[in-house]
Amino acid sequence: SDPTAGAAASAICQACHSIYAGEPAKLGPNLHGIFNAAIGAADGYAYSDGLNAYAEANGEWDIAALNEFLEAPTEVVAGTRMAFGGIKDEAQRAALIAWLHAISPDAGPILVAEGDAQ
């Protein structure tokens, strides 16, 4: 997907999240470097018990975890403080995930599962 389209879609994220390296957390944690990073581990942010439990079960913010969470945050993580209803449009979610990858300098390449379209 196109990270440029995701950058446009990210405006809704930036209402509550900072995105540049070293910026402090806002209402939500800083998103810089989130792709393939440990879930619930951003410096300077206290996560909800629900997100901490989700982190233990899921490990890292990979494509699958980001896709699931961004589609319906409150359904995926009971007790999350994220007051965002989610992104139902699959193409918009994919673009946003591509943008999150683009702002994650240590993420490495996006690996596409065998059989998935590139």
Side-chain angles (χ1 to χ4, degrees), residues 39 51 54-55 57-78 80 82 84-90 93-94 97 100:
I39 296 172
L51 198 286
Y54 181 79
N58 292 281
E60 294 183 344
W61 285 121
D62 59 14
I63 292 172
L66 285 165
N67 187 57
E68 177 185 53
F69 184 71
L70 291 172
E71 182 176 17
T74 58
E75 292 175 26
V76 172
V77 178
T80 184
M82 187 164 158
F84 175 61
I87 301 169
K88 305 306 179 205
D89 182 86
E90 187 175 350
R93 246 186 358 267
I97 291 168
L100 288 168

Side-chain angles (χ1 to χ4, degrees), residues 15-70:
C16 295
H17 295 274
S18 52
I19 63 164
Y20 297 106
E23 286 185 315
K26 292 164 89 173
L27 291 176
N30 184 312
L31 298 179
H32 187 267
I34 193 171
F35 198 96
N36 286 342
I39 296 172
D43 289 336
Y45 189 77
Y47 292 89
S48 66
D49 291 341
L51 198 286
N52 287 328
Y54 181 79
E56 286 182 31
N58 292 281
E60 294 183 344
W61 285 121
D62 59 14
I63 292 172
L66 285 165
N67 187 57
E68 177 185 53
F69 184 71
L70 291 172

